Amino acid sequence: MKVLIAGAGRLGTQIAQVLSAARNDVTLVESDDDRVAELRSLPQVRLLAGDACEPDVLERAGALTSDLVIAATGRDEDNLVISLLTKGQFGVGRVAARVNEAENAWLFDERWGVDVAVPAATPLISLIEEATGATDTVALLRLSKAGVEVIETAITAQSRAAGHTLGEIALPAGTVVATVVRDGRPTVPGPEVRLLPGDELLLVSHEATEQEIHAAFQ
């Protein structure tokens, strides 16, 4: 799947990391040159400096051939413009947009080219600030076409994985760790990374259930 993400803040960057880990073709567009330079080491993600509200930037980013566009900037007006352009001018099949301000939610519909509107409190893929339910493992995004599920799990002082390295964790079949977020910063995971209370992990799986992933860490 070819994915174009507008906005390289925390949300956009984590989406890019997870989707690229799931072997999708990911382009991340950001207007802040310093932020683009900071993310140059991001593996398997194409970075493009520019304003995604401009059609020529979207064209250079590959909007004409994208299967999915995610407008994940911190400004609702920008996310709406990006959605309208990519759907109306470039004919993107599926457009998802983040809603930063609840009072603007009514605007995020098909009239503005939005197929999926995601409130800031429950982003497409990111750290979930308040997970509902009894478990701290949350399904974030189901990629039905690819048969991939993205799962988040948090390490606490009571987690049996706390103090162990990733290489020591027996993951369910078909599961990989896409990123470990520590102190608000995502990092590329390696088998030597030692898990600490407060760490939050994003995992990509073709086979495992949420319960199986939860059991591996908790």
Side-chain angles (χ1 to χ4, degrees):
M1 183 167 60
K2 187 170 183 178
V3 185
L4 192 163
I5 302 167
R10 182 183 181 189
L11 173 63
T13 301
Q14 290 177 347
I15 294 173
Q17 284 187 293
V18 171
L19 293 185
S20 63
R23 298 187 179 182
N24 295 285
D25 181 353
V26 179
T27 298
L28 183 58
V29 182
E30 171 59 45
S31 59
D32 186 336
D33 291 340
D34 291 338
R35 179 61 173 165
V36 172
E38 180 183 342
L39 295 174
R40 283 297 179 196
S41 61
L42 208 61
Q44 300 177 326
V45 175
R46 178 191 174 208
L47 288 164
L48 178 65
D51 185 350
C53 292
E54 298 178 2
D56 64 319
V57 173
L58 289 172
E59 186 170 359
R60 284 192 287 120
L64 281 168
T65 56
S66 292
D67 302 299
L68 169 66
V69 167
I70 302 172
T73 80
R75 293 167 56 91
D76 284 343
E77 55 267 40
D78 289 352
N79 290 341
L80 286 170
V81 169
I82 293 163
S83 299
L84 187 62
L85 284 172
T86 53
K87 177 67 74 171
Q89 185 165 333
F90 294 97
V92 175
R94 190 163 183 79
V95 178
R98 183 185 188 185
V99 184
N100 295 284
E101 302 294 337
E103 60 266 28
N104 296 329
W106 64 278
L107 290 166
F108 286 73
D109 59 20
E110 67 279 357
R111 293 171 298 175
W112 281 90
V114 178
D115 296 304
V116 180
V118 184
T122 53
L124 271 176
I125 183 166
S126 181
L127 303 176
I128 302 299
E129 294 180 359
E130 295 183 23
T132 57
T135 174
D136 60 356
T137 304
V138 182
L140 298 179
L141 179 63
R142 296 181 187 276
L143 306 175
S144 56
K145 288 185 179 180
V148 174
E149 186 172 5
V150 178
I151 305 290
E152 179 187 40
T153 192
I155 303 300
T156 69
Q158 289 73 42
S159 300
R160 64 179 180 179
H164 292 275
T165 65
L166 281 175
E168 295 173 330
I169 307 299
L171 294 176
T175 302
V176 296
V177 179
T179 187
V180 176
V181 181
R182 181 173 295 166
D183 298 326
R185 298 186 65 85
T187 59
V188 179
E192 76 286 350
V193 172
R194 192 169 299 279
L195 298 176
L196 303 176
D199 287 350
E200 294 173 286
L201 289 74
L202 292 175
L203 302 99
V204 179
S205 183
H206 290 269
E207 301 178 28
T209 65
E210 294 173 49
Q211 291 75 19
E212 289 171 331
I213 291 176
H214 178 80
F217 291 91
Q218 307 302 332

